Amino acid sequence: MKAEIIAVGTEILLGDIVNTDAQVISLGLDELGIDVYYQTVVGDNPERLRAVLDIARERSDLIITTGGLGPTLDDLTRETIADAFGKELVLHQPSLRRITAFFDRIGREMTPNNIKQAMLPAGCTVLPNDWGTAPGCAFEADGVHVLMLPGPPRECTPMFRTAGMAYLARLAGGVIVSHNIHIFGMGESQMEDQLHDLMEAGRNPTLAPYAKDGECLVRVTAKAESAEKAEQLLAPAVQQVCDRLGDVVYGVDVGSLEQAAARELTARGLTLSVAESCTGGLLSKRITDVAGASKFYKGGACTYCNEIKRKILGVSKETLDRYTAVSVQTAEEMARGIAQVYGTDIGIGITGYAGPDGGEDGTPVGTIHIGICFQGKAQVRTICSPRGRENARRDAANHALDMILRAAKKGANG
Amino acid sequence: MKAEIIAVGTEILLGDIVNTDAQVISLGLDELGIDVYYQTVVGDNPERLRAVLDIARERSDLIITTGGLGPTLDDLTRETIADAFGKELVLHQPSLRRITAFFDRIGREMTPNNIKQAMLPAGCTVLPNDWGTAPGCAFEADGVHVLMLPGPPRECTPMFRTAGMAYLARLAGGVIVSHNIHIFGMGESQMEDQLHDLMEAGRNPTLAPYAKDGECLVRVTAKAESAEKAEQLLAPAVQQVCDRLGDVVYGVDVGSLEQAAARELTARGLTLSVAESCTGGLLSKRITDVAGASKFYKGGACTYCNEIKRKILGVSKETLDRYTAVSVQTAEEMARGIAQVYGTDIGIGITGYAGPDGGEDGTPVGTIHIGICFQGKAQVRTICSPRGRENARRDAANHALDMILRAAKKGANG
């Protein structure tokens, strides 16, 4: 099946927004084994949209449009597509009730122009919108499958990943289910190398690797006639990937390192504080990105000069003089110091050269020491991340979260 | 002039990356007054690329391609375009020398397949690549202008914004120059309202408003026969915008709030420390995003519980009991406390309900107090940012940076 994604929106052509919908849909179609041959963007102009549709129906079997389903005069996707495929638009009562209820819920009056959002091609499959007003829909005409989705990513993404992908899976007679395996401490190429045979082996389940923000993810997706059967296909595949990769897997469907760490610390009733030099507050910021962090996080200190490292954390003058502020010894004393001062089970100390420069003593840029003190015992991990200040700081925070997560898990096992 | 942007790259169709090049180019063309009618993405496949080019030359006057200029077998944009427009590819010696020099500089051996990157359509204008190996180029054929740019954004963006936009400006007989006016403390719609007549008034200079990350930007762009003449056109327009908007303008071409604050503090020899509760380290992180922050920044404290607010910052038990941790009084004491403990000219204290919940006493979610203590005098700004935890935290950090910048500027004037 050859797919084409058509975004309808002048705001994309003006550069006001980037076409992330196309990326989300492309990723999902890849999981389903459907090839995307074209992505097209056209403005809110019925003649040009019609011309683009005429090109698409000649070269593609599946057309997915995003945008132009709203209530304003500019929103013409529904009308133009219905016309192009000879479909009549009819009022879909359940959608109108959903739209009315949506306005009730947000406490705003519904203006009459919203009614047109419930006008859908006769005989289509309706894709309900739980995240906004305009429903999506799907139909088949002249041997071409057409899906219409709303443009705003907060509506388009969940609608596509639930109802949209389910519709496409049903075309092949089934449902689809995915699990995300989260990996830290192994590069993407090494991971792909280790999973190569599994990735090549088959299309159901599929294994799709992703690398982002210094960590990796494998998404395992199965199609089956029921969710239960899909899970049966998934379970051994997920287990196989976890066994193969070993302890670099930090969780399945856990979101992120900070979310996994937060969950573990909360569950085990452990408290945390962090002392940061080169990361400058980034680790503390990421920990507190998680709502509910106050359950385990007492706080942190950004100690950006020696004077404050000594005053707040009690790092000794001797250590700073003898080993410098960027040293294993200083990282350890920072971790011990913050745990003691803030009175927490776990303390973290991070110090390094994030860039643009390394140390005057020849320590290379990107050298960062991360100390952890857990119930009195300290250890330090040293990393080298020389690809720029932002990456170095991110990598240091990732490693610190990984150390927190491992300490919390291990602590419970004795 | 009707423009079409064609991205060549299977990695976009797979969803591995999002087509940010199209956004960058669309924004630039809008500044030049050129309308973008279509954005298209096609894979690394010569037949489909050729078909897409044939459609584009019929409906557009300007075709800008991105991607497919590299050294591998997959990179076929150059050959396919040359063929489509009946152009011969010839070796461009200066480009070959640049490519050879590039490999020398990064200390890697140049493989022979890199030579094909210097094969360019006969008679084209070469767009040199200072950020990678593949040069871009531009030519006119059959009444259509064609620009080819490399795909990687770190190469495409600067090449387009310098040589690419200069080429397009020269088509109209001139050069183009832009200035960015940075605005904080006024919403986009209010800003557009105030500048409406100036934005409508003419195409040279153009005024383009942008809103991002809680602040606004007006980019003023002029076309002229020389850079000097462009600056002459720009100067009164920039002045007019600054006068019109008043003191919400925090700088021209200054990058960001944190960069502007860093420059001001460094220039005036003032030191800074910050105490954060709900922002959890975000402000400290943003301050230390700026390389060289150690010149003025001594550090911060994330005080995520009352116990630590008292212990580290000396916030009084009475204040916490009487006014709660989220109060004007606590913010002020946090600011005073951090300035005193860390020994800095300026201290910041931030406390609030970032979300998901508000206070048990009925304080609405999004209420955040930001205290500043500058050379012993304190004041507090209270904001309400109810659109989610991430936005609330970002807005609080923005306001804190704005307060730091204003204090630093005012301090110098007495």
Side-chain angles (χ1 to χ4, degrees):
Chain A
M1 194 181 256
K2 295 181 211 166
E4 174 157 1
I5 301 164
I6 300 174
V8 187
T10 302
E11 67 277 22
I12 303 176
L13 296 179
L14 287 171
D16 286 345
I17 57 169
V18 66
N19 189 10
T20 50
D21 287 343
Q23 184 183 31
V24 167
I25 295 168
S26 290
L27 284 171
L29 293 177
D30 187 49
E31 287 173 39
L32 291 168
I34 298 172
D35 293 319
V36 178
Y37 275 28
Y38 308 94
Q39 296 174 355
T40 307
V41 183
V42 63
D44 301 303
N45 174 293
E47 288 77 36
R48 288 197 285 277
L49 171 57
R50 175 60 190 262
V52 160
L53 287 169
D54 287 340
I55 293 169
R57 67 197 299 175
E58 289 302 314
R59 64 187 181 186
S60 306
D61 314 308
L62 167 64
I63 298 173
I64 300 183
T65 68
T66 60
L69 300 185
T72 74
L73 285 175
D74 269 359
D75 294 304
L76 290 160
T77 302
R78 215 172 359 241
E79 291 77 358
T80 309
I81 286 183
D83 192 50
F85 288 91
K87 295 270 179 187
E88 197 190 348
L89 288 175
V90 295
L91 183 67
H92 185 244
Q93 285 291 354
S95 288
L96 183 58
R97 281 196 295 275
R98 287 178 83 98
I99 295 169
T100 312
F102 181 88
F103 279 94
D104 282 351
R105 203 162 62 238
I106 64 169
R108 270 174 42 209
E109 198 175 340
M110 189 182 93
T111 50
N113 59 352
N114 281 287
I115 296 170
K116 83 166 189 172
Q117 296 180 102
M119 300 294 291
L120 296 173
C124 71
T125 300
V126 179
L127 310 178
N129 192 340
D130 290 327
W131 309 271
T133 52
C137 69
F139 63 85
E140 190 262 323
D142 313 331
V144 179
H145 291 279
V146 180
L147 258 82
M148 292 186 239
L149 301 170
R154 69 179 179 283
E155 300 177 28
C156 180
T157 298
M159 186 188 288
F160 175 70
R161 289 215 58 99
T162 56
M165 286 180 71
Y167 176 87
L168 294 171
R170 272 198 305 277
L171 287 185
V175 301
I176 69 139
V177 182
S178 294
H179 290 305
N180 293 319
I181 303 170
H182 296 267
I183 291 133
F184 181 74
M186 181 182 276
E188 189 185 17
S189 55
Q190 195 189 342
M191 178 183 80
E192 289 199 26
D193 203 47
Q194 291 210 14
L195 302 178
H196 192 254
D197 57 322
L198 302 178
M199 281 160 58
E200 298 275 286
R203 295 298 303 177
N204 196 25
T206 56
L207 267 65
Y210 302 102
K212 206 186 152 197
D213 296 334
E215 48 176 301
C216 295
L217 180 77
V218 179
R219 185 179 284 156
V220 189
T221 304
K223 277 184 279 195
E225 51 200 77
S226 70
E228 202 179 2
K229 293 218 169 131
E231 292 287 4
Q232 282 167 10
L233 287 169
L234 287 169
V238 169
Q239 192 59 50
Q240 200 168 19
V241 171
C242 291
D243 290 347
R244 187 80 68 92
L245 297 179
D247 81 341
V248 296
V249 173
Y250 70 83
V252 177
D253 299 327
V254 290
S256 65
L257 276 167
E258 46 269 42
Q259 286 173 310
R263 203 168 299 124
E264 204 70 32
L265 291 167
T266 306
R268 306 199 187 281
L270 295 167
T271 56
L272 172 71
S273 59
V274 307
E276 303 182 69
S277 187
C278 64
T279 46
L282 171 61
L283 176 59
S284 184
K285 180 256 176 201
R286 283 183 54 186
I287 291 164
T288 57
D289 279 343
V290 183
S294 58
K295 289 197 191 76
F296 63 88
Y297 187 58
K298 286 203 180 181
C302 171
T303 55
Y304 220 59
C305 59
N306 284 355
E307 173 198 345
I308 300 297
K309 284 185 185 71
R310 291 186 56 192
K311 182 165 182 182
I312 302 293
L313 305 175
V315 176
S316 74
K317 187 171 181 307
E318 292 66 38
T319 298
L320 292 169
D321 288 348
R322 184 160 172 195
Y323 301 107
T324 82
V326 176
S327 61
V328 169
Q329 290 79 4
T330 299
E332 179 177 332
E333 285 191 33
M334 289 171 69
R336 285 190 185 280
I338 194 82
Q340 193 181 352
V341 175
Y342 280 51
T344 54
D345 300 306
I346 300 177
I348 293 286
I350 303 179
T351 180
Y353 295 111
D357 303 315
E360 286 174 11
D361 58 359
T363 305
V365 61
T367 304
I368 302 179
H369 305 285
I370 303 143
I372 185 167
C373 174
F374 181 32
Q375 294 169 341
K377 277 185 215 158
Q379 62 184 78
V380 177
R381 190 188 286 184
T382 297
I383 66 167
C384 188
S385 174
R387 283 171 303 278
R389 184 177 176 88
E390 193 179 331
N391 286 335
R393 283 156 51 103
R394 179 202 66 199
D395 289 345
N398 280 348
H399 276 277
L401 291 165
D402 180 57
M403 291 166 77
I404 293 165
L405 189 52
R406 284 171 188 272
K409 284 182 179 171
K410 199 175 157 199
N413 303 336
Chain B
M1 195 181 256
K2 296 180 210 165
E4 173 157 2
I5 301 165
I6 300 173
V8 186
T10 303
E11 66 278 21
I12 303 176
L13 296 180
L14 287 171
D16 286 345
I17 56 170
V18 66
N19 190 9
T20 52
D21 286 343
Q23 182 181 34
V24 167
I25 294 168
S26 290
L27 285 170
L29 293 177
D30 187 49
E31 287 173 39
L32 291 167
I34 297 172
D35 292 320
V36 178
Y37 275 30
Y38 309 94
Q39 296 173 356
T40 307
V41 183
V42 63
D44 301 302
N45 173 293
E47 288 76 35
R48 288 198 285 277
L49 171 56
R50 176 60 191 262
V52 160
L53 287 168
D54 286 341
I55 293 169
R57 70 197 297 175
E58 288 303 315
R59 65 187 181 186
S60 306
D61 314 307
L62 167 64
I63 298 172
I64 301 183
T65 69
T66 59
L69 301 184
T72 73
L73 286 175
D74 269 1
D75 292 304
L76 290 161
T77 302
R78 213 171 0 240
E79 291 78 356
T80 309
I81 287 184
D83 193 51
F85 289 90
K87 294 273 180 184
E88 198 192 345
L89 288 175
V90 295
L91 183 67
H92 186 246
Q93 284 291 353
S95 287
L96 183 57
R97 281 195 295 275
R98 287 179 83 98
I99 295 169
T100 312
F102 181 87
F103 279 94
D104 282 351
R105 203 161 63 237
I106 62 168
R108 269 175 43 208
E109 196 174 341
M110 188 183 94
T111 51
N113 58 351
N114 280 287
I115 295 171
K116 83 167 189 170
Q117 296 181 100
M119 299 293 292
L120 296 172
C124 73
T125 300
V126 179
L127 310 178
N129 191 338
D130 290 327
W131 309 272
T133 52
C137 69
F139 64 85
E140 189 263 322
D142 312 332
V144 179
H145 292 278
V146 181
L147 259 81
M148 292 186 237
L149 301 170
R154 69 179 180 284
E155 301 177 27
C156 181
T157 298
M159 187 188 288
F160 175 71
R161 288 215 58 98
T162 56
M165 287 181 72
Y167 176 87
L168 295 170
R170 272 197 306 276
L171 286 186
V175 299
I176 70 139
V177 182
S178 295
H179 290 305
N180 294 319
I181 302 170
H182 297 267
I183 292 131
F184 181 75
M186 180 181 276
E188 190 184 18
S189 55
Q190 196 189 342
M191 178 182 80
E192 289 198 26
D193 202 47
Q194 293 211 10
L195 301 179
H196 191 254
D197 57 324
L198 302 178
M199 282 160 56
E200 298 275 287
R203 295 297 302 176
N204 197 24
T206 56
L207 266 65
Y210 303 102
K212 206 187 154 197
D213 297 334
E215 48 177 302
C216 295
L217 180 77
V218 178
R219 186 178 283 156
V220 189
T221 304
K223 278 183 277 194
E225 51 198 77
S226 69
E228 202 181 0
K229 293 216 167 131
E231 292 288 4
Q232 284 168 10
L233 288 170
L234 287 169
V238 169
Q239 192 59 50
Q240 199 168 19
V241 172
C242 292
D243 290 348
R244 188 78 69 92
L245 297 179
D247 82 341
V248 296
V249 172
Y250 70 84
V252 178
D253 300 327
V254 291
S256 65
L257 277 167
E258 47 269 43
Q259 285 174 311
R263 202 169 299 122
E264 204 69 32
L265 291 168
T266 306
R268 307 203 185 277
L270 295 168
T271 56
L272 173 70
S273 59
V274 307
E276 302 181 69
S277 188
C278 64
T279 47
L282 171 61
L283 176 60
S284 183
K285 182 257 176 201
R286 283 182 55 185
I287 291 165
T288 58
D289 279 343
V290 183
S294 59
K295 288 197 192 76
F296 63 87
Y297 187 56
K298 286 203 179 182
C302 171
T303 54
Y304 220 59
C305 59
N306 283 356
E307 172 198 345
I308 299 297
K309 284 184 186 71
R310 293 187 54 192
K311 181 165 182 183
I312 302 292
L313 305 174
V315 176
S316 73
K317 187 171 182 308
E318 292 65 38
T319 298
L320 293 169
D321 287 348
R322 185 161 171 194
Y323 302 107
T324 82
V326 175
S327 61
V328 170
Q329 291 79 2
T330 299
E332 178 177 332
E333 286 192 34
M334 287 172 69
R336 285 190 184 278
I338 194 84
Q340 192 181 351
V341 175
Y342 280 51
T344 54
D345 299 307
I346 301 177
I348 293 286
I350 303 178
T351 182
Y353 295 110
D357 304 314
E360 286 173 12
D361 58 358
T363 306
V365 63
T367 304
I368 303 179
H369 306 285
I370 304 144
I372 185 166
C373 174
F374 181 33
Q375 296 170 339
K377 279 185 215 157
Q379 62 183 81
V380 177
R381 189 187 287 183
T382 296
I383 66 167
C384 188
S385 174
R387 282 171 304 279
R389 185 176 175 87
E390 194 179 331
N391 287 335
R393 284 156 51 103
R394 180 202 66 199
D395 289 344
N398 281 347
H399 275 277
L401 290 165
D402 181 56
M403 290 165 77
I404 293 166
L405 188 52
R406 284 172 187 272
K409 284 181 178 170
K410 197 175 159 199
N413 301 337

